[in-house]
Amino acid sequence: MTDYPIKPYTKQELGMMYNPGATPRAAQQLLRRWIQRCPDLCKALEQAFYTSHQKLLTAKQVALIFHYLGPP
């Protein structure tokens, strides 16, 4: 298992980390769906000032995603 550093990533980069065989757009859409299907993650991201329109995720938001979805 590879350890990914907790740092800012674009949604596309993070999506590709979770779905390396998908196209960048599809990987980003899959990540978005996974986030939407996890109410606890949605709530935590909201508290971390996440908006669905942002392209760059902060390190704190990435850490929350890793916590709720597991590391890529």
Side-chain angles (χ1 to χ4, degrees):
M1 178 170 144
T2 305
D3 290 324
Y4 292 96
I6 295 177
K7 64 176 193 153
Y9 290 102
T10 65
K11 287 183 190 175
Q12 198 170 77
E13 288 174 319
L14 194 58
M16 290 299 294
M17 289 165 54
Y18 279 100
N19 305 285
T23 64
R25 183 174 180 201
Q28 182 176 341
Q29 289 172 341
L30 282 168
L31 178 63
R32 179 179 48 84
R33 280 189 227 128
W34 291 354
I35 290 171
Q36 289 174 339
R37 291 180 181 159
C38 185
D40 292 337
L41 174 55
C42 286
K43 188 174 184 176
L45 285 172
E46 186 179 300
Q47 292 173 349
F49 306 105
Y50 169 80
T51 67
S52 61
H53 300 292
Q54 73 187 74
K55 295 194 185 293
L56 185 68
L57 299 166
T58 65
K60 181 175 182 165
Q61 293 165 347
V62 170
L64 289 168
I65 291 169
F66 284 4
H67 174 75
Y68 285 97
L69 299 181

